[in-house]
Amino acid sequence: MRFGPVKTSEANGAILAHAVKVDETRLPKGHRLSPADIAALNACGTLEITVARLDPGDLMEDEAARLIAAAIAPDHLRFSGAATGRVNVYSRVAGLFVATRETVDRLNRIDPAITLACLADHAPVQPGDMVATIKIIPLAVAGHFVKQAQTLLQSHAAFEVKPFAARRAALIATQLPTLKQQVMDKTRTILAARLRQSGSALLTERRVAHTESAVAAAIDDLLPDHNLLVVFGASAVADPDDVIPAAIRRAGGAVDHVGMPVDPGNLLVLGRVGETPVVGAPGCARSPRENGFDWILDRILAGEWPSFDDITGLGVGGLLSEIPSRPQPREPATQLQLESVAVVVLAAGQASRMGADGGHKLLATFDGVPLVRRSVEAALAAAPGKVSVVTGHREADIRGALEGLPVTFVSNPDYISGMASSLTAGLSAIGGRAAGMLVMLADMPGIGGGDLRRLIECFVGEGGRSIVRATAGGQRGNPVVLPRQTFSAIRQLVGDVGARHIIEKSGLPVIDVELGAQARLDLDTAEQIVAAGGILEK
């Protein structure tokens, strides 16, 4: 292919390298120019244009992408049509995406014009998930390179999706006096949710003593009606002859592996009795967050049996996010102080529900004090020197109402987009050393410094590893204290959303602190302000 600028009068039959507009008509990139196109371009004064001219044997980008995609085995996959040199590949099933790095690398090294990008090896997927994309970089590519790619893909699989096979699972949970029943209940719920992703079901739970004989007896009893057994020990496996691996052997099974280079997830036991997998789950699998147990469980559900080399080869990429609820952190936790928590007061919103003539709710006065000042003074009483205020709508007025208070102001010019922008702005202001961020709405007149202090003290008492949330009569409310582990998720928020879905999806413990009705009293309308004893600005 030859690429470059040419005189428009000489471009008949060439391919447009970039889209151009001719009067009211747009000629797209990749369009083959006709005599009529040339005349129209000349008529509108376009005397030079950048084009591509094909050499003998060259293939246009869409045709090349289509031919390469057609060489991939279509089992459990769906392919998009070719457009702009791209074919996307989607999974038709819930399963495990398995890639062969050597084949993918070889294809990408045939010629820079041909590219294949795909998910990481052994990534779980659901129906409709995109798993790969084939993209031809220029407008055309030499046909012999496309043929090489086809030959490679026809003889060596680059990737596939292995469907999950539904399993009838049983949970064996051992008990010790130190293990709370609610922890065991949560473990059952989380395991059932994990299994549902593959269409599997947790049919049975058996709680037994933490002894080799009790676990072995449970395995024997459950084997006839289940084809997957998961054992959660009340204490971690400390040796290949500890309770869980010893019980698998006592039940007539074999233990293939104890331990794995994935953290969290080190203390996993992989065994089987006959054809039935028996997995000793590490303690971290009591959390819904990704850990080494997920990696092994997904392979089993996809019909694989991880070998010694498979498991010992998981170290690169095996350092996963820390799970704060783990009972033994790798390093002693630093003793938190109350000063470890910063307070962010959100005061940037438009108060749109006040109506066109309703004034600004944050400037309404209560006992002669503007609502926003009342809120910020409460924050300062709980966390002196650690308060940031996010402003946006009527910024000068809001800051004027806070004159003289020792706070850090943060401007949010994007306040109109919603709460997410204010949360991220506030987070950027609190500094990198805060262990937690208390998020306070500025329109809650009933929240006082003592309430905020209680939330902060609870957070510190939990070691900064839990979300602390105000409640009213058991119903969730505000404010909330978010630990450092949530900060990366906060930075990704967009639009008019708050932290609620982060709280629900983080996998962190949520501690509710009952504050009474004031935890749900925020003022959105003029009527609510008057009813709460406020006087609106004129």
Side-chain angles (χ1 to χ4, degrees):
M1 182 182 70
R2 290 158 292 146
F3 179 92
V6 298
K7 293 180 179 179
T8 301
S9 59
E10 299 174 358
N12 184 44
I15 298 163
L16 271 179
H18 308 288
V20 296
K21 189 174 182 181
V22 183
D23 295 327
E24 299 303 317
T25 303
R26 181 179 179 274
L27 302 179
K29 168 192 168 184
H31 176 73
R32 191 180 292 274
L33 293 167
S34 68
D37 297 327
I38 300 298
L41 287 166
N42 280 323
C44 68
T46 304
L47 304 181
E48 185 177 86
I49 195 164
T50 302
V51 298
R53 294 182 184 274
L54 301 190
D55 291 323
D58 284 351
L59 295 175
M60 289 292 293
E61 56 182 6
D62 284 354
E63 178 67 5
R66 186 189 65 77
L67 290 171
I68 293 170
I72 297 171
D75 297 345
H76 312 301
L77 300 172
R78 176 177 65 83
F79 297 82
S80 72
T84 65
R86 183 186 300 276
V87 172
N88 293 328
V89 188
Y90 303 86
S91 177
R92 291 186 179 274
V93 298
L96 199 61
F97 176 80
V98 180
T100 304
R101 175 179 286 277
E102 180 183 2
T103 302
V104 174
D105 289 348
R106 283 179 60 188
L107 184 133
N108 284 322
R109 290 165 184 159
I110 290 173
D111 186 81
I114 297 173
T115 68
L116 167 61
C118 66
L119 297 179
D121 183 35
H122 283 87
V125 296
Q126 292 295 313
D129 287 354
M130 188 165 79
V131 299
T133 186
I134 298 159
K135 172 65 177 172
I136 306 302
I137 300 299
L139 293 165
V141 62
H144 64 91
F145 287 138
V146 174
K147 184 63 177 177
Q148 287 182 43
Q150 291 177 289
T151 300
L152 172 64
L153 294 173
Q154 288 165 351
S155 58
H156 298 80
F159 56 81
E160 62 178 319
V161 173
K162 296 183 177 181
F164 288 135
R167 294 263 183 170
R168 304 182 309 279
L171 165 62
I172 301 172
T174 73
Q175 302 182 92
L176 287 173
T178 54
L179 185 61
K180 296 178 180 179
Q181 293 300 306
Q182 55 262 43
V183 172
M184 301 182 75
D185 295 341
K186 181 180 178 183
T187 300
R188 179 185 63 238
T189 300
I190 289 172
L191 177 60
R194 276 191 166 97
L195 292 166
R196 281 196 295 271
Q197 300 299 312
S198 64
S200 300
L202 180 58
L203 302 180
T204 307
E205 181 190 16
R206 187 72 51 84
R207 296 184 181 183
V208 302
H210 188 70
T211 65
E212 174 187 331
S213 59
V215 175
I219 292 173
D220 285 335
D221 188 46
L222 294 168
L223 276 174
D225 299 317
H226 305 83
N227 55 9
L228 173 64
L229 303 182
V230 179
V231 185
F232 272 88
S235 66
V237 173
D239 186 86
D241 291 321
D242 208 340
V243 169
I244 293 175
I248 294 172
R249 297 188 191 97
R250 182 165 178 164
V255 176
D256 287 22
H257 208 87
V258 177
M260 62 188 300
V262 179
D263 195 345
N266 294 135
L267 303 180
L268 179 135
V269 177
L270 180 61
R272 62 177 113 189
V273 180
E275 297 299 316
T276 300
V278 183
V279 184
C284 60
R286 297 185 189 276
S287 163
R289 295 184 67 176
E290 182 184 18
N291 59 79
F293 175 69
D294 293 296
W295 292 12
I296 299 303
L297 180 64
D298 286 342
R299 292 187 183 219
I300 292 171
L301 294 172
E304 294 188 354
W305 187 256
S307 67
F308 175 85
D309 287 346
D310 290 333
I311 293 175
T312 57
L314 294 175
V316 175
L319 181 59
L320 303 177
S321 299
E322 177 65 270
I323 294 177
S325 59
R326 296 174 73 189
Q328 294 181 337
R330 287 185 285 280
E331 296 181 8
T334 302
Q335 184 65 40
L336 287 185
Q337 305 296 324
L338 297 181
E339 294 75 18
S340 302
V341 178
V343 178
V344 172
V345 181
L346 303 183
Q350 293 179 280
S352 56
R353 292 175 62 185
M354 294 292 294
D357 300 319
H360 196 309
K361 63 180 178 179
L362 296 185
L363 300 175
T365 57
F366 289 76
D367 298 323
V369 179
L371 175 55
V372 65
R373 189 178 185 94
R374 179 187 180 114
S375 298
V376 172
E377 286 176 342
L380 286 167
K386 294 286 184 178
V387 177
S388 299
V389 181
V390 182
T391 57
H393 179 61
R394 291 186 62 175
E395 186 169 71
D397 294 328
I398 297 296
R399 293 193 179 192
L402 300 175
E403 185 176 0
L405 296 183
V407 299
T408 299
F409 287 111
V410 187
S411 181
N412 175 20
D414 193 32
Y415 65 87
I416 197 170
S417 68
M419 184 180 290
S421 61
S422 289
L423 280 170
T424 55
L427 179 60
S428 69
I430 67 175
R433 303 185 66 179
M437 177 173 71
L438 187 152
V439 180
M440 179 184 183
L441 306 179
D443 62 349
M444 302 186 72
I447 296 295
D451 298 317
L452 301 179
R453 190 81 170 183
R454 284 183 60 196
L455 296 173
I456 294 171
E457 288 173 348
C458 179
F459 177 81
V460 171
E462 292 291 322
R465 296 187 295 272
S466 300
I467 294 168
V468 175
R469 177 176 61 189
T471 57
Q475 294 182 295
R476 61 177 175 264
N478 283 294
V480 62
V481 187
L482 301 170
R484 174 183 289 276
Q485 290 88 344
T486 66
F487 288 1
S488 61
I490 292 172
R491 293 187 183 98
Q492 297 175 38
L493 291 175
V494 293
D496 193 21
V497 297
R500 178 177 170 182
H501 87 277
I502 292 176
I503 295 171
E504 295 173 347
K505 301 294 185 181
S506 69
L508 299 172
V510 179
I511 309 298
D512 288 334
V513 177
E514 179 65 34
L515 295 185
Q518 64 261 34
R520 290 178 62 84
L521 176 62
D522 57 348
L523 306 180
D524 291 324
T525 67
E527 292 76 15
Q528 289 174 337
I529 290 173
V530 172
I535 300 174
L536 284 167
E537 62 171 346
K538 300 298 183 182

